């Protein structure tokens, strides 16, 4: 009994009780972080409760008066609130979106600078300065890559929210597509649209937008492309995910159409430091296992004899490799054919020449030009004949629709030792944009010349292409 009354024993008991108390709090916080179903709201609520509960031992064991304890609790809490308030002020003023800072996975229609759209799912706000930075997409889940870098894009969008240097009232050629056409990895003058305008000496409109699939591209053609009065529309089809985009579009459109306007508080909370910081901690606690980068890298020898590691996040299909064998006869390809049939009818009614350009995956171009380690899974990734299947779908959608497979042009240039795709990213390099533009320009000129000869009349054909 005397031992309990000993001040040293009491002090040790208070310390032990406090440590146990805070240990329990830390345990529960870590449990939330490592829970797969946890969300930022859970973690923030638990952190708030943990902060308040952390004062428990002090309030219980301190010999200060109740007023003194309350003043210290209030002073500390006020300091914490003011500190977070200063951090949150840029988000409140819309100067900073912490979703970008913490790379929080966010639907495109929720991101700063974008707006939801019932058919396009999202649109970019017009006339905005678009500044983004990101790592190469092929490095996802890979660890130890030697070619890792940060890509930065700083550009000004036109009045329609697309990457054109100026607002166009008309265009002889429009290019419709996804991230390959928008080209956030390339400078404005390196884009396929800029290079094609130079090759043909005609106004060319870039109507590409990251994340768009065939249904959205049809709406872009209807809403933005045809009103420009083009002679030709180049529609790019990326084999890596366009069929997946066809399959997922309806579900995403239902989500967007069910959206309700957010209150200013919820709108700020989506951009806030506390929410996105909490989301980052949860991702760190439940992160996916990484893969040694060498397992998904190939050694490519360029024309000068230098070896570059090229990384592949996937083969020719961004998803389950087992689905590659069934792509050519898939319902998604048939649905794409129906979408093209509608596009063909729209173009034919306005005298627009529709051309579908097949964009191959990086692996299709470089698989036989790289040396892979013996244990690399890349050696077993299947490659199908989707270009031929897409060509058949194009022919079935309308006998006047043109088809251009960009694979031969890319492979020929790659065989000369050039990187037409980025070493650590899915998309084209500046040279890839140039090669694509040259191939499209040559195709359009040959097609134009053939139609002129068939008509037996002097048509308003494209001027000679420049050698650039």
């Amino acid at each position: 009994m005397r031992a309990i009354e000993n001040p040293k024993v009491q002090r040790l008991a208070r310390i032990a009780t406090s440590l146990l108390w805070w240990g329990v709090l830390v345990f529960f916080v870590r449990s939330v972080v490592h829970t797969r179903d946890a969300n930022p709201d859970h973690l923030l609520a638990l952190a708030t409760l943990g902060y308040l509960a952390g004062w428990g031992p002090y309030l219980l064991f301190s010999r200060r008066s109740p007023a003194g304890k309350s003043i210290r609790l209030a002073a500390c809490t006020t300091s914490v609130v003011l500190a977070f308030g200063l951090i949150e002020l840029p988000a409140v003023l819309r100067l900073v979106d912490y979703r970008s800072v913490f790379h929080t996975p966010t639907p495109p229609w929720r991101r700063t600078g974008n707006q939801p759209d019932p058919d396009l799912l999202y649109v970019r706000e017009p006339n905005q300065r678009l500044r983004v930075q990101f790592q190469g997409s092929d490095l996802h889940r890979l660890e130890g890559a030697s070619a890792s870098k940060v890509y930065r894009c700083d550009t000004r969008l036109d009045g329609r929210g697309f990457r054109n240097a100026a607002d166009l009232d008309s265009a002889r050629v429009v290019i419709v597509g996804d991230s390959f056409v928008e080209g956030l990895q390339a400078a404005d003058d390196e884009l396929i649209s800029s290079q094609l305008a130079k090759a043909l000496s005609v106004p060319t409109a870039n109507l590409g937008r990251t994340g768009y699939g065939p249904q959205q591209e049809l709406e872009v053609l209807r809403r933005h492309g045809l009103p420009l009065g083009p002679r030709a529309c180049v529609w790019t089809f990326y084999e890596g995910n366009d069929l997946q985009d066809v399959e997922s579009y309806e579900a995403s459109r239902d989500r967007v159409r069910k959206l309700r306007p957010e209150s200013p508080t919820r709108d700020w909370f989506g951009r806030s430091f506390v929410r996105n910081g909490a989301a980052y901690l949860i991702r760190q606690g439940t992160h996916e296992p990484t893969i040694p980068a060498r397992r998904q890298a190939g050694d490519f020898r360029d024309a000068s004899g230098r070896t570059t590691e090229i990384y592949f996040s996937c083969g020719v299909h961004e998803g389950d490799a087992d689905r590659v064998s069934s792509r050519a006869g898939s319902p998604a390809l048939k649905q794409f054919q129906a979408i093209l049939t509608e596009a063909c009818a729209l173009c034919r009614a306005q005298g627009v020449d529709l051309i579908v350009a097949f964009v191959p995956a990086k692996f299709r171009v470089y698989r036989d030009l790289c040396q892979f380690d013996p244990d690399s899974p890349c050696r077993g990734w299947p490659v199908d004949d989707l270009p031929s299947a897409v060509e058949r779908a194009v022919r079935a959608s309308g006998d006047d629709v043109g088809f251009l497979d960009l694979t031969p042009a890319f492979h020929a240039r790659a065989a000369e030792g050039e990187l037409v795709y980025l070493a650590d990213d899915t998309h084209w390099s500046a040279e890839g944009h140039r090669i694509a533009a040259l191939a499209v320009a040559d195709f359009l000129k040959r097609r134009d010349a053939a139609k002129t000869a068939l008509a037996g009349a002097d048509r308003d054909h494209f001027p000679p292409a420049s050698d650039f």
Side-chain angles (χ1 to χ4, degrees):
M1 198 68 182
R2 289 181 179 178
I4 298 177
E5 295 175 353
N6 188 305
K8 291 184 178 181
V9 174
Q10 291 178 347
R11 187 179 304 113
L12 289 174
R14 287 196 294 270
I15 293 174
T17 303
S18 299
L19 291 176
L20 178 62
W21 182 270
W22 287 322
V24 171
L25 292 179
V26 170
F27 170 78
F28 281 110
V29 171
R30 283 177 54 85
S31 298
V32 170
V33 171
H34 289 282
T35 301
R36 290 189 175 274
D37 295 333
N39 61 45
D41 294 15
H42 294 152
L43 184 56
L44 290 175
L46 185 59
T48 302
L49 292 174
Y51 168 78
L52 296 175
W55 279 87
Y58 172 78
L59 297 176
L60 286 174
F61 300 127
S62 176
R63 295 177 179 177
R64 296 184 182 277
S65 66
K69 297 176 184 179
S70 300
I71 290 173
R72 283 165 174 75
L73 173 59
C76 183
T77 303
T78 301
S79 300
V80 171
V81 170
L82 288 176
F84 277 102
L86 290 174
I87 298 174
E88 295 293 4
L89 186 59
V92 174
L93 299 177
R94 294 181 174 274
L95 299 176
V96 173
D97 187 338
Y98 286 106
R99 289 175 292 204
S100 299
V101 175
F102 288 102
H103 303 289
T104 305
T106 308
W109 51 85
R110 291 293 194 195
R111 296 173 193 166
T112 297
N114 297 345
Q115 295 293 333
D117 184 276
D119 295 308
L120 293 175
L121 305 187
Y122 88 96
V123 296
R124 297 201 189 279
E125 294 177 356
N127 301 312
Q128 68 167 302
R129 183 179 180 183
L130 181 64
R131 289 183 288 188
V132 293
Q133 65 178 39
F134 47 87
Q135 274 194 309
S137 59
D138 283 335
L139 298 181
H140 177 62
R141 293 182 61 196
L142 299 188
E143 186 176 43
S146 61
S148 176
K149 61 177 292 186
V150 176
Y151 295 93
R152 291 177 174 84
C153 178
D154 188 348
T155 189
R156 175 73 61 179
L157 304 182
D158 66 12
R160 298 177 177 87
F162 293 98
R163 279 193 77 179
N164 294 292
D167 288 339
L168 297 172
D169 296 325
S170 63
R172 291 282 291 279
V173 179
V174 297
I175 307 180
V176 175
D178 58 7
S179 55
F180 279 86
V181 177
E182 188 173 39
L184 297 180
Q185 300 78 7
D188 291 348
D189 60 353
E190 295 172 340
L191 296 174
I192 179 176
S193 51
S194 302
Q195 304 272 24
L196 187 59
K198 182 178 179 181
L200 295 177
S201 301
V202 298
T204 302
N206 185 315
L207 299 181
R209 188 162 284 150
T210 300
Y212 275 15
Q215 290 98 325
Q216 293 144 291
E217 291 158 1
L218 174 62
E219 180 63 20
V220 167
L221 174 65
R222 180 187 292 112
R223 191 183 302 187
H224 301 293
L226 295 179
L228 293 174
R231 276 272 309 284
C233 170
V234 179
W235 184 320
T236 60
F237 175 92
Y238 173 51
E239 70 163 320
N241 59 24
D242 269 8
L243 294 181
Q244 290 170 273
D245 291 339
V246 168
E247 295 172 331
S248 64
Y249 172 75
E250 292 297 335
S252 296
R253 186 174 67 168
D254 287 344
R255 287 181 62 192
V256 172
R257 291 187 172 185
K258 291 176 181 178
L259 288 177
R260 295 293 180 267
E262 288 188 318
S263 67
T265 302
R266 290 299 302 178
D267 184 46
W268 157 76
F269 189 60
R271 302 188 305 272
S272 68
F273 172 85
V274 292
R275 184 186 189 282
N276 292 285
Y280 176 79
L281 291 176
I282 290 174
R283 291 199 306 276
Q284 293 301 109
T286 59
H287 67 276
E288 298 177 289
T290 57
I291 301 169
R294 276 299 305 175
R295 283 182 53 79
Q296 291 186 194
D299 291 331
F300 172 70
R301 190 176 296 275
D302 63 21
S304 66
R306 184 180 59 186
T307 298
T308 300
E309 282 187 330
I310 300 181
Y311 299 95
F312 303 93
S313 61
C314 62
V316 294
H317 175 64
E318 295 182 8
D320 188 354
D322 293 338
R323 296 185 60 187
V324 171
S325 60
S326 62
R327 293 194 305 173
S330 65
L333 184 58
K334 294 179 181 177
Q335 191 173 351
F336 174 66
Q337 178 182 319
I339 293 168
L340 276 184
T341 300
E342 185 175 351
C344 178
L346 291 172
C347 289
R348 187 184 297 124
Q350 297 196 28
V352 178
D353 195 14
L354 178 61
I355 297 95
V356 175
F358 181 89
V359 177
K362 181 167 68 172
F363 186 72
R364 184 182 294 275
V365 174
Y366 281 97
R367 62 180 174 129
D368 60 347
L369 300 175
C370 288
Q371 293 292 325
F372 296 100
D373 290 348
D375 63 343
S376 172
C378 302
R379 299 167 65 93
W381 283 346
V383 176
D384 59 354
D385 192 19
L386 189 63
S388 296
V390 172
E391 182 176 10
R392 289 193 295 271
V394 170
R395 303 299 181 204
S397 67
D399 54 12
D400 55 343
V401 182
F403 176 78
L404 169 63
D405 182 5
L406 292 174
T407 306
F410 280 121
H411 190 273
R413 190 63 175 143
E416 295 174 356
E418 288 291 337
L419 281 174
V420 290
Y421 289 75
L422 298 166
D424 60 350
D425 193 89
T426 307
H427 299 91
W428 295 329
S429 64
E431 179 65 9
H433 280 270
R434 191 182 77 89
I435 294 302
L438 284 175
V440 171
D442 181 66
F443 184 86
L444 287 175
K445 288 185 63 62
R446 287 188 286 106
R447 187 171 172 85
D448 191 60
K451 288 188 175 184
T452 299
L454 184 63
D458 185 18
R459 300 173 66 248
D460 180 22
H461 53 75
F462 290 113
S466 59
D467 184 13
F468 68 108

